[in-house]
Amino acid sequence: MKIDRRSFLGLGLGAAAGVTLSPMPWKLTDDSSIWSQNWPWTPVPNDGEITFEDTICTLCPGNCGISVKKVDGRAIKIEGKKGYPVNDGGICLHGISGLQYLYDPSRVQFPMVKSGDTWKQVSWDEAVALVAGKVKELRQKGMAESLACVSATDKGSVAGLYKRLLTSVGSQNFYTLETMEKSWEMLISRIHGLKAFASFDLANSDYVISFGAGFIEGWGSPVTNFIANSSRKERKAKLVQVEYRLSNTAASADTWLPAKPGTEADLALGICSAIISGNLYNAEFIKNAKDFEAFAKFVNEKYAPELVSRTTGIDASKIKAVASEFAKAKSPLAIAGRGKGESAGSLMEFAAVHALNCLTGNINKAGGFWTVERQDTLTWSSLEMDDSATKSYAKSPIGAVDSLVSGVSGSADAGVFSSVVSAVSNQVVTSASLTKLFEVINASEKSPVELLMVYNANPCFTLHNTKAVKAAVNKIPFVVSFSSYMDDTAQLADVILPSHTFLEMSQDIQSGASLAQNITAFSKPVAGPVFDTKHPGDAVIAIAKAVEGTVASSFPWENYQECLESIIGDSFATLSEEGYIASEFTPPAAPIVVDFSIFAGFKGITPLEGEAKSYPLTLMPIDTIRLASATFASSPFAVKTVEDTVLLENDTVIEINPETADKVGVSDGDYALITTPVGEAKVRVNLFDGIMPDVVAIPEGLGHTISGIGQVLRKDGTALTGKKGATSIITVTGGTSKNIGPLENRYIGGKGVNVNDLIGSVVDPASGLDAAWGIRARISKA
Amino acid sequence: MTQDNHGKAYKFGMVIDLDKCTGCGSCMVACMSENNVPFKEDETNKKDSITWMKVFKLTNGKPFPDTDICYMPRPCMHCGGKGDHGHSPCVSVCPATATDYGYDTGIVSQIYTRCFGCRYCMGACPYHARYFNWWDPKWPDGMEEYLSPSVSPRMRGVVEKCSFCYHRYQAARDRAYHEERRDNIEEGEYQTACTQACPAGAITFGDLNNPEHEVSKLVKPDTHQCGKPRNPKAFRLLERLQTNPKVYYISEREWVRKAGDNYRDGEWEKSK
Amino acid sequence: MDSALIPKGAKRCPFPVFATGIAVVGAVLLWGVYAMGLCWLKGLNQTNMNDYYGFALWIWADLAVIAIGGGAFFTGLLKYVFGIDELKNIINLAVVIGFICYSSALLILAIDIGQPLRGWFIFWHANVHSMLTEVAFCLSLYFSVLTIEFIPLILENRQIDKVPFFHNLSHNMHSVMAVFAATGAFLSCFHQGSLGGVAGVLYGRPFAYREGLLVWPWTFFLFTWSAAAYGPCFTLTVTKLFEGITRKKLVKDNVVHILAKISGWMITTYIIAKIIDTIYWAFVTAPDMGFSLIDFYSNNSFYGIWILFAEIVLGGIVPAVILTVKKYRENNKLLLVAILLGVFGVCLNRWVMVLQVMAVPVMSFDTWALYVPSWQEIATTILPVAYGVILISLAYRYLPVFPQEQELYDAK
Ligand SMILES: Nc1nc2c(c(=O)[nH]1)N[C@H]1C(S)=C(S)[C@@H](COP(=O)(O)OP(=O)(O)OC[C@H]3O[C@@H](n4cnc5c(=O)[nH]c(N)nc54)[C@H](O)[C@@H]3O)O[C@H]1N2
Ligand SMILES: Nc1nc2c(c(=O)[nH]1)N[C@H]1C(S)=C(S)[C@@H](COP(=O)(O)OP(=O)(O)OC[C@H]3O[C@@H](n4cnc5c(=O)[nH]c(N)nc54)[C@H](O)[C@@H]3O)O[C@H]1N2
Ligand code: SF4
Ligand code: SF4
Ligand code: SF4
Ligand code: SF4
Ligand code: SF4
Ligand SMILES: [Mo]
């Protein structure tokens, strides 16, 4: 057939018509849309049988009961456990995000040893042998005291095992973090002569004055406090919040007293004065108190409401009104303690606040302040120490500080107070201070610590003046991290023995902070292990065994499980069956003593670092429940909820009053340079009416470093690559890896600045703890 | 407390006590976790951040120290639309019937596989309750493990929003049928993930058609006025637009109730 | 080189000049195609749209081109239905512009939707209550009509016309064109209207919401009316543009003046309706929802009351006056000002009804949402312009778009 133009066109048109009328285009259209509904890169979760398993969340000291929902054995959701005494079904956003911690590909996936910039995978046996080898070496050299360990707390059997390892080797250098719990404990021992921790029955108190405690920012046991706070409406209970800023707690309070930061103790004493001069105190309770007359004279002379009104900025009439309401309430409660960083806080602030509780006598009663004896539910078998260990153990801890109050009562103002009180032991307590430890290391030419173990703590992020802390850690020849994550401290370690996450391990739990009940709980593994991690207890036991000798024989258990069963003893069966044992507090049999002599020489709380002339503003760290500031780094979910007035792209956003902004010449959204005596940072500005002029608030929980992670090589020599989404692929240019590693958590890492880069530590002479509660600062437009 | 729902439609709704809400964000995360909501490395552009439940922060605009703030959690309002006939702002505009009003539940659905991403519904919703998948959802390697099979992950290019945890309703209904209770779902049997998680107990969920349910008791919806609350402390967001939401708010604070809608000068004082 | 294709006797620039011009515009087109590809392959994250701003620049362009392409249906209506015969001298241009505008609009929609492969669901799972469904149906049908109206013109190409079949086809199509024009006008009324309805029905958006007649908000009628009124302004603008570029007269003044006059009266009636609508909305509709007029124009850095003024006075009253007064409209400069202002006015109206709608806060604690388009959006928005320039240049070069061209040339 001859193809001319005509037939060509005809054919073409015919073909087009044919194709159009055939089912083909329709089928293709349909198929392509079906394909778009089943894109292979959009995951399709597998279905299966639904089950629930209960355990305890240990992301924060709240220790809520949680139910893990599983599908076909796969953990898919965390919910609050109904009926659990801490949280009764409620749960905070971090707990719900637990699975993001579990399945996080930026976890430390196997034991690794650092050489240069590179991490190399080793087997658990090799890792344990390496650490044990170092310990043995130190023992042989008679330098066992140069072994140190940092752990968040000393509560529970896992921390107990670490402490036991140190003791059996011959070191007293076991450090815990400095928290408000410690301050309360010291205060209770000083004022009441008891060895107990503080608890607060918020849920039953009808009138609470809180001096900055952020009940809904995450203070104490967060969910317990949320529940107590929201039941206020029904209970007709009042909350008075003393805070320089309209925090969420202040906003939810019935009365907000914006006292100038640092004058909270003054305000507390002002209220004491009003109560005393109005004869509103509980005379019956106070009648045997030591030095009450002196205290009364002292506050009436120096802290009368009119005087206090000048320093705090709160009207005298308001102070008197609050004093009268407080004193007349059925179960009034005064609370101190901002739980941040070194905010073990100024002990004298705690004392001033607690004086209010003493005046009402609402102590060890429903709705009141409780002194709770530490329940030692664990019975450890005695451990063996050979000569070398005994000799080393005799040496006092590195960075030991003298704490408590003896120095104070001898001071010039002590005149009106009697000197020593019989019921209360006023001896000097010497203890190991973590802050001091790092100071000592930095001050020594050669680090007195040869080997540092870090368990369940991230001091390079959470301690004040992180630059100094990091310098100290870098000076320590051998650092062992037990972290599950490449956190700020693990990045500086020489070897990492990664622990299970809380969802992968069993452990005993003592609920503490601000709970009006004793709860011992037992958490059990509900998932994983996802990676080649180990139970931290098993890791210690393995190390101890490898150290051999009396150290090994002090750890007679096959594994952690066996250890736990033996040290928990009788209650193990109940615990593993019921999950927890709760008991109401019982008041101590003996009447409680009160000693006011602590106020001799009271000169206010620890001052801010920096002089007002060059640093006219006060910088205060603030917390939002949505950012985990101590307990882990925040999860992707949590970071997602953070407002853009806190974190904007990679910048921390500070909060200032519009008036302050005018003064320093910045406007909303501007970049600003913030400078303190310790450091400086570029941040962005958010104007907020609810913050006091001349104060700068900066959010906690940001500024996790990820830049120091380096390369990770598997045993077979292949590089661990960054995971899609979570982390970026290592790019090797010219043979050297860029500073982008595979274990970077890009969801929180590298975002914003760490407050603790800007704040230095200030040792409280009364407690020996780091009491810095802010710092002086200036800002300028950047 | 079993209700008789034979032939009667449910009208599920939510009441949020703004004086109890602490702004903690548990509801947001509970929802993300329950409903396979994806996340990105940077979520600070809040106008491109999928949050079926979003907690707004309101301020009273007064200077220090008279400032006050209030957190306002905002799921989808499951609007009944004008006259409460189911012509929700979004449903009435969707050209492909990819979002629909369930007359048996009052729940506004969203069919991801039918939605073709025209975003008209987003423009129609005054509450910004609808979110577009601008990006392919991606989970860090291994994190897909926690995805729930009850809610399908969405693909790029479609709109999503709060479903009142519809899969939980389905599960409760299935159980009821299985136990031969027909469709009589008890109050506690169907609760949304955000309600369950809220540690402050600020959220209440239930059937507004059932006077026994807590939600009805709290707001006392006026059926003759499309569910307008009779409790003077309760209000609905943008009541004046006649979207007829099924999410109610309660607050003792007058400025908060006022912030729930728009008023011209002097109107609020008159309306009180 | 391509002279065999050029209409007999017509003067066209040398092919290399033409080809260079096309290549330059083609480069812009390719840039747009690249951006379009990005949007399809990577998704709409390539744009700066967001959850507050779900409609953006190109949706405005979409509505604007449909509005200015309205010259096609309206001129067709005037010629074929109302029998204003002079308009046959400009109808071809109107049809080509219409074709370009509507094909562009469809292309934009295909880029705009998040799931282009499912675009047809709008037909298959149609929701009859949705204005967008109405738009989709009428738009695609009307595009078919425009194609049918365009075909005879293509068939008139010198070479194609030589084929007897096509010659006859063209002839026969011409004779039934009135039917299509009428159908097209009917369809147009609906889709122009339903485009207006898209914003007008949004009762959750007080800035857009309008009451109306039966199921149609007033914007439904205003959009149809304004497209009819302002569409001819664009047809005339393009005519003037061609005349400027080719430095030739292509359409006789009387034709231009007739169209201008009709447009002028249409704009006059439209703008009166628009003013009434605005007043009713400002004093009744919006206040019922708690808004004062000024709420929509304050507290932001862009949308001031100027925009209302610009739309109604500059883009409405001024062209209406110029085009209705014979003296002004027959003054070439004023005429040019008027038709340009007209095009500006209707485009601004579409901007306001799409983009400002998204920007205005509704909840009392919301803030204005302003957005700046990404380059991909700008490129894809320019893409149809480039495509239009190329298509209309090809049409002008190879098809007898201006029937009076020869006559006017000879007269010179
Ligand atoms: N989301 C979340 N919740 C948590 C945690 C977490 O990491 N994330 N961690 C848990 C832990 S370990 C703890 S200890 C608690 C801590 O919880 P909180 O004790 O609530 O700690 P913050 O909220 O940081 O501080 C309380 C308030 O004290 C104010 N403040 C600052 N300086 C002063 C001062 O000098 N005097 C007074 N009176 N107030 C001041 C601060 O502005 C702040 O608003 O939170 C627990 N809950
Ligand atoms: N910036 C800032 N600093 C602070 C505070 C603050 O609010 N902000 N608060 C202060 C307070 S109150 C406290 S209590 C401290 C807390 O300070 P740290 O306890 O040092 O801080 P975290 O980051 O919680 O460190 C916990 C580490 O323990 C590990 N870990 C957590 N859970 C587990 C587990 O289940 N198993 C194992 N094996 N490891 C686990 C993780 O690797 C994590 O890095 O920080 C203080 N410093
Ligand atoms: S409050 Fe603490 S313990 Fe409770 S869920 Fe949240 S992080 Fe876990
Ligand atoms: S979980 Fe409850 S308290 Fe927290 S933000 Fe949501 S509604 Fe408010
Ligand atoms: S809140 Fe928005 S998305 Fe939800 S039903 Fe109402 S209009 Fe639709
Ligand atoms: S985006 Fe999806 S749900 Fe929304 S209107 Fe378009 S097709 Fe319907
Ligand atoms: S009801 Fe369910 S889907 Fe809606 S916000 Fe709450 S958790 Fe999310
Ligand atoms: Mo803490």
Side-chain angles (χ1 to χ4, degrees), chain A residues 91-93 96 216 226 230 625-626, chain B residues 16-18 20-30 53-56 71-74 193-203:
Chain A
I91 184 165
C92 89
L93 76 169
I96 305 169
I216 54 189
F226 283 137
S230 68
I625 180 76
R626 299 192 194 169
Chain B
I16 305 178
D17 188 332
L18 298 179
K20 284 188 176 174
C21 173
T22 63
C24 72
S26 284
C27 50
M28 294 174 74
V29 173
M53 174 63 106
K54 178 182 163 108
V55 180
F56 284 92
Y71 288 93
M72 178 179 275
R74 191 266 16 239
C194 51
T195 308
Q196 186 190 26
C198 174
I203 310 179

Side-chain angles (χ1 to χ4, degrees), chain C residues 12-282:
Chain C
R12 295 292 180 263
C13 67
F15 184 73
V17 176
F18 178 72
T20 312
I22 293 293
V24 171
V25 185
V28 177
L29 180 99
L30 283 180
W31 178 55
V33 170
Y34 174 61
M36 175 177 83
L38 284 179
C39 291
W40 274 336
L41 288 174
K42 297 194 168 184
L44 294 179
N45 52 52
Q46 299 293 305
T47 71
N48 277 354
M49 283 192 274
N50 56 48
D51 295 327
Y52 273 53
Y53 230 109
F55 293 164
L57 190 69
W58 62 43
I59 288 292
W60 161 71
D62 191 89
L63 265 72
V65 294
I66 290 177
I68 59 180
F73 91 86
F74 189 59
T75 316
L77 183 81
L78 292 175
K79 176 181 179 287
Y80 293 107
V81 180
F82 293 112
I84 304 182
D85 201 48
E86 287 92 332
L87 295 180
K88 69 169 186 273
N89 296 312
I90 204 164
I91 188 88
N92 286 350
L93 178 67
V95 166
V96 176
I97 294 174
F99 181 84
I100 291 170
C101 289
Y102 280 79
S103 49
S104 300
L106 288 172
L107 178 71
I108 292 176
L109 287 181
I111 306 171
D112 173 70
I113 55 180
Q115 285 284 353
L117 296 174
R118 302 183 204 165
W120 55 279
F121 286 13
I122 202 169
F123 304 112
W124 195 252
H125 301 290
N127 168 14
V128 293
H129 299 292
S130 171
M131 283 291 159
L132 212 53
T133 309
E134 204 170 302
V135 170
F137 274 92
C138 298
L139 204 64
S140 9
L141 285 175
Y142 181 54
F143 177 66
S144 319
V145 169
L146 272 173
T147 311
I148 292 168
E149 290 189 56
F150 191 16
I151 287 172
L153 183 62
I154 299 173
L155 298 181
E156 279 174 35
N157 172 277
R158 216 163 93 197
Q159 293 304 319
I160 300 177
D161 194 52
K162 282 184 188 154
V163 181
F165 169 75
F166 290 132
H167 179 85
N168 291 335
L169 180 65
S170 161
H171 182 79
N172 289 333
M173 284 181 83
H174 269 301
S175 54
V176 293
M177 210 38 79
V179 178
F180 285 106
T183 316
F186 175 78
L187 288 169
S188 266
C189 283
F190 270 92
H191 80 249
Q192 296 281 1
S194 40
L195 274 174
V198 163
V201 295
L202 301 179
Y203 65 94
R205 294 280 194 168
F207 181 76
Y209 178 62
R210 295 296 188 283
E211 286 154 72
L213 195 65
L214 303 174
V215 298
W216 297 291
W218 295 125
T219 48
F220 182 97
F221 307 100
L222 288 173
F223 265 52
T224 307
W225 203 257
S226 58
Y230 290 103
C233 285
F234 187 65
T235 315
L236 291 176
T237 304
V238 177
T239 309
K240 292 290 168 195
L241 201 67
F242 264 103
E243 292 188 342
I245 292 170
T246 60
R247 272 170 265 135
K248 280 189 291 204
K249 194 132 189 67
L250 297 169
V251 179
K252 284 186 187 164
D253 278 345
N254 71 319
V255 178
V256 170
H257 291 154
I258 288 176
L259 198 56
K261 180 178 158 192
I262 295 171
S263 174
W265 283 109
M266 289 292 290
I267 295 176
T268 306
T269 49
Y270 163 74
I271 208 71
I272 291 169
K274 170 77 189 171
I275 290 169
I276 296 171
D277 169 74
T278 305
I279 290 173
Y280 186 81
W281 162 73

Side-chain angles (χ1 to χ4, degrees), chain A residues 438-499:
Chain A
F438 292 123
E439 275 174 24
V440 170
I441 294 175
N442 276 328
S444 325
E445 207 177 306
K446 184 173 172 293
S447 166
V449 175
E450 288 284 331
L451 193 163
L452 176 72
M453 299 201 291
V454 185
Y455 164 66
N456 196 9
N458 186 10
C460 291
F461 179 78
T462 55
L463 292 192
H464 285 153
N465 199 350
T466 46
K467 226 208 265 152
V469 175
K470 285 178 184 169
V473 171
N474 273 325
K475 238 170 138 179
I476 300 172
F478 197 68
V479 177
V480 186
S481 167
F482 292 85
S483 178
S484 277
Y485 301 90
M486 263 299 187
D487 60 34
D488 312 67
T489 312
Q491 286 169 42
L492 303 183
D494 297 284
V495 52
I496 306 180
L497 279 66
S499 298

Side-chain angles (χ1 to χ4, degrees), chain A residues 59-62 92-94 179-181 210-222 241-245 247-249 260-265 335-341 343 346 349 353 513 605 620-632 634 697 700 771-774:
Chain A
L59 285 173
C60 92
C92 89
L93 76 169
H94 304 295
T179 67
M180 69 153 182
E181 281 190 40
S210 146
F211 292 81
F215 300 123
I216 54 189
E217 269 78 28
W219 185 86
S221 182
Q241 182 74 3
V242 180
E243 204 169 349
Y244 58 89
R245 164 184 181 266
S247 65
N248 290 354
T249 309
K260 292 195 189 113
T263 66
E264 294 83 356
I335 299 183
R338 358 145 208 159
K340 300 185 171 122
S343 67
S346 185
E349 182 178 316
V353 172
I605 64 164
M620 297 292 281
I622 51 164
D623 205 11
T624 149
I625 180 76
R626 299 192 194 169
L627 273 174
S629 42
T631 317
F632 283 52
S634 304
E700 298 263 19
W773 47 273

